[in-house]
Amino acid sequence: MSVSPLLDEIGLLPPPLATPWEDGAESAEEEAVPERWAAAPPLFWYDPPWHFVPAPTARQIASTVDAVGIPTAALGCELGEEDIGDVMLRHSIAAVRPDRYGLAIGDLNAAAVVDLRLARSRDAHGRFAYGRSQLQRWLAEPTGEDETLDLPDSVPAPGWPPELTSLGELAGKFRQYRAFQRRVRCAVSITPYRIFDELAAVLEAKPDIVILRMDDSDEFSGIRLASVIAAALDVIRTHHRATRLWVVPPCEPTPDDCVKMLALGVEAVAVDWWCQPLINAAIQQGGTLTDAPAQLREHVLDILSERMERMVGLIHSCGASGPAELRPSHLYSPSTTIARRLGISSQT
Amino acid sequence: MSASESTEHPAMVLEPWQLQPEPLRAALSELEPSGDQEPKRWPLIQAVDVAGHHDALMGLDHAVRVEVAGPLGDHACAYNRQAEVRIRGPVGSAVAEGMRSGAVRVYGGAGHGAGVAIRGGTLAVYGHAGDRCGAGLAGGEIFVRGNVGTAAGVGALGGTIVIGGNAGPGLGAAMSGATIFVRGTVASLAPDVVEAPLRERERLRLGLLLINAAIRGDAKDFRRIIPRAMFQQETNRPRGEIDPSWR
C-alpha cells in the first residue's frame, strides 16, 4: 500500500507534553474494527461501478460492505433486486441522477441517504456520458429479463433535473423524498467549483448533507484540498449550519488524510479506492465470487481493517474518543499563513 | 367525467392528509383486492379538498381508479404502478415522474418535466405541457393535446411522445430509441434527430394510440421525429410495411 498522502502539508497535533499516561493503546485484536466505531464509520462508497460485475455478485459485495456499516451507493436494479431494503438493511445511498435512469420507488423507500447528484460522471472517454453497459444495468428488470430497448453506445449525462428551473426549487425535491420516507437524509452532490455562489444557493434548500465531489478535480490536492473544504464549511456555517459535509477526494486518501479531513469538519470521506479491490477480485474470478458470505465478510475486513484501525488509532492519539470530537485545533501547520487560512493550529 | 363515473359510488374517499405515500398505502390496504378485473371495474376512489397539494398520490401500486379534483402541485403520481388516475385541473412539475405502469390523465396543463423518467404506462395531458416533457423517457407513452416547451424528449431512451400542438426548440435533444409524433410546428429539432416518413405501420400504431388517449385527430396529420441513428438503421435495413412484430 504506497499511496501519496493528499494532505501532507498539515499534520495531526499531538497532545501537550504534560498529558498524563493514558490507557489509549488497546489491542487491535480485542475488537473487530466495525465494532470500534460507536456509530457507523465516517466513510462511504460513493460511486461503485456495479455494472462491471454481474448483479448477483454486486449484491453480495454491497450487502457485505453494508454489514460493515459503510454507506454504499446502489440502486435495486444495479443489484438485481426490486427492493433494495432486502439486501442493504442499514446504509444504502440512493443516487438520484437528474435522468433517473434505473431509479425505482424501492430505492427511495429504503435508502438511508438520497443523494441528488448535480455533479456529473465522466465515461472512459472523458465525456459527461453513460456507456451502454451502464445503461443496460440501469434498465434491466429485476427479474433478469433481457432489456428490449435498443441502446446506443453512449448517452450524455445531464447535470440538472429536467423539472427544475432554478436552484430555488431544490427544496421541493427534498420535500418529495421525505414524503416517501420521513427520516431519510437528503444530500446534494456538487463540484468544488463556484462554491461561494452555488453552494450558498443549494443550502437555501436546507439539505442534510452536501457531498463535495472532487474525484474529477485532480488540481485539488494538498493545501488546495484543505482550503476548498474549509471554504465549503465556512459557507455552510454561514447559510445552514445543520448541513453536514461529505467529501469525495480527488484521489485515494490515506487513513491519515481521512482523519485530517474529519478534523477539518467533514462528516464522512469517500473510500471508493479502498473498496475497488472487491470489484477487481470479482472481475478476476470471471465475475463471480466463490467466497461464502462469512469468507467475503472476512475479505472485506481484510481490505478495510488495517486502514480503519489506523484511523481509530490516530483519532485516539488526538485525545478524541471518536470522529465527532475531532476539531480543527487537532491539526497544525508550520506555516502561519496556512494555519490562519484553515483555522488550525500553528507550530509557533 | 363520464356519466357512468359521475353516478358511481366511490369505494373510498381520501382526505388531504391521506395523499402522502404512507397514509395512502395504509388507506388502500383496507380495500378488497380487485383480482384480475378489468380496469373499468377497479374500485373507484375520490380525493376531495386536495387542491394545490404537492407530492400527492405518489407511489400508488394498487389496481384502483382515482378521481381527483385539482389543481395539484409538483410530483403528482410519481413512481406509480397499476393505478388509473384522473386529475381534473392543472398539475405542477414532474407529474407521473418514474411511473412504471397504469395511467395518469390530466385534464388541464402540466408544468416542467411532465413524465420525466417514465418506464411504462400512459401519461395524457389534455392541455399544454412545460419544458423538457418526457425527459429521460424509457418506455410507455406520453400524450400532450396542446403545446410543449423546450427540449421535449431530452435524453429519452425509449417510449413514445405524441404532441398534438406545437413543440418548442431543441425537440428530441440527446434522444436515442424514443419516437416523437408532432402535429403542429416545431421551433427547432435537436441536432441528432430527424423527421422521418410516417410509414403505414406507424400510422396504424399512432391511430390506436390516439384512440387510447381519447385525442381526436388523424394519424396522418402527425410527423415522426426519431434519432438520426435510428433513421439510418431504418434506411439501411428496410423492412416490409407489414411486419407482425412492429408493436
Side-chain angles (χ1 to χ4, degrees), chain A residues 273-292:
Chain A
W273 302 266
W274 299 5
C275 299
Q276 182 64 32
L278 298 167
I279 303 279
N280 295 347
I283 293 170
Q284 282 165 4
Q285 292 175 36
T288 55
L289 287 170
T290 49
D291 296 341

Side-chain angles (χ1 to χ4, degrees), chain A residues 82 99-101 103-105 108-109 138-139 141 149-150 152 155-156 162-165 172-173 175-176 179-180 182, chain B residues 20-22 54-55 58-59 75 78-79 81 93-94 97 100 112 116-117 119 132 135-136 138 155 157-158 174 176 233:
Chain A
E82 194 156 1
D99 44 79
R100 272 148 281 187
Y101 297 147
L103 182 72
I105 188 172
L108 298 172
N109 281 335
W138 281 336
L139 297 177
E141 292 297 331
L149 293 176
D150 187 13
V155 167
E163 66 269 40
L164 302 187
T165 55
K173 295 309 291 181
R175 187 196 58 229
Q176 181 192 19
F180 280 117
R182 232 174 308 158
Chain B
Q20 298 283 305
E22 216 173 300
H54 292 297
D55 314 320
M58 297 194 305
H75 315 124
Y79 299 96
R81 289 172 190 260
S93 66
E97 170 188 354
R100 288 296 183 105
H112 298 310
V116 56
R119 292 284 301 271
R132 297 171 292 281
L157 300 173
S176 54
Q233 208 174 19

Side-chain angles (χ1 to χ4, degrees), chain A residues 28-342:
Chain A
E29 303 299 323
E30 283 178 8
E31 249 180 319
V33 168
E35 280 74 39
R36 286 174 163 275
W37 299 95
L43 308 171
F44 64 106
W45 193 358
Y46 180 74
D47 200 15
W50 295 126
H51 61 290
F52 285 12
V53 294
T57 306
R59 186 163 58 231
Q60 257 183 299
I61 295 171
S63 62
T64 310
V65 176
D66 173 68
V68 174
I70 294 180
T72 298
L75 301 178
C77 62
E78 292 175 316
L79 310 183
E81 278 286 333
E82 194 156 1
D83 188 351
I84 199 167
D86 291 344
V87 181
M88 301 175 73
L89 301 178
R90 294 185 295 179
H91 310 109
S92 71
I93 301 171
V96 180
R97 297 170 187 86
D99 44 79
R100 272 148 281 187
Y101 297 147
L103 182 72
I105 188 172
D107 303 312
L108 298 172
N109 281 335
V113 175
V114 173
D115 173 21
L116 183 56
R117 295 204 167 165
L118 304 182
R120 289 183 277 191
S121 302
R122 292 185 193 273
D123 67 5
H125 304 288
R127 295 170 296 196
F128 290 123
Y130 309 125
R132 187 201 296 261
S133 60
Q134 174 68 86
L135 291 167
Q136 277 172 334
R137 178 61 62 86
W138 281 336
L139 297 177
E141 292 297 331
T143 52
E145 286 170 20
D146 287 340
E147 177 50 46
T148 52
L149 293 176
D150 187 13
L151 294 169
D153 291 334
S154 173
V155 167
W160 185 247
E163 66 269 40
L164 302 187
T165 55
S166 72
L167 277 168
E169 296 174 6
L170 268 187
K173 295 309 291 181
F174 299 153
R175 187 196 58 229
Q176 181 192 19
Y177 304 144
R178 290 184 182 118
F180 280 117
Q181 203 202 137
R182 232 174 308 158
R183 289 183 189 164
V184 74
R185 297 180 80 189
C186 293
V188 188
S189 286
I190 60 169
T191 64
Y193 309 99
R194 300 180 283 273
I195 56 170
F196 290 105
D197 296 328
E198 293 183 349
L199 176 55
V202 163
L203 289 166
E204 295 296 313
K206 298 182 171 47
D208 299 300
I209 300 164
V210 165
I211 301 179
L212 206 52
R213 180 176 192 173
M214 293 186 277
D215 55 338
D216 192 28
S217 309
D218 296 342
E219 69 277 23
F220 286 103
S221 63
I223 284 306
R224 291 179 191 161
L225 173 59
S227 298
V228 78
I229 290 172
L233 287 164
D234 274 346
V235 175
I236 288 171
R237 279 185 210 108
T238 305
H239 291 272
H240 189 242
R241 185 170 279 272
T243 297
R244 299 288 172 247
L245 181 67
W246 291 16
V247 166
V248 183
C251 52
E252 178 172 352
T254 63
D256 300 47
D257 293 328
C258 292
V259 173
K260 290 172 190 175
M261 283 187 257
L262 297 176
L264 280 171
V266 169
E267 188 182 64
V269 181
V271 288
D272 293 35
W273 302 266
W274 299 5
C275 299
Q276 182 64 32
L278 298 167
I279 303 279
N280 295 347
I283 293 170
Q284 282 165 4
Q285 292 175 36
T288 55
L289 287 170
T290 49
D291 296 341
Q295 287 173 310
L296 184 60
R297 180 178 159 83
E298 285 304 309
H299 185 47
V300 168
L301 289 176
D302 280 349
I303 286 174
L304 297 175
S305 62
E306 190 183 335
R307 295 168 170 120
M308 289 168 72
E309 185 58 41
R310 181 165 173 84
M311 285 180 67
V312 172
L314 290 172
I315 291 169
H316 287 173
S317 75
C318 291
S321 61
E325 286 182 18
L326 288 172
R327 296 286 177 271
S329 57
H330 289 118
L331 300 171
Y332 86 98
S333 167
S335 158
T336 49
T337 312
I338 291 172
R340 200 174 303 124
R341 194 196 304 173
L342 300 178

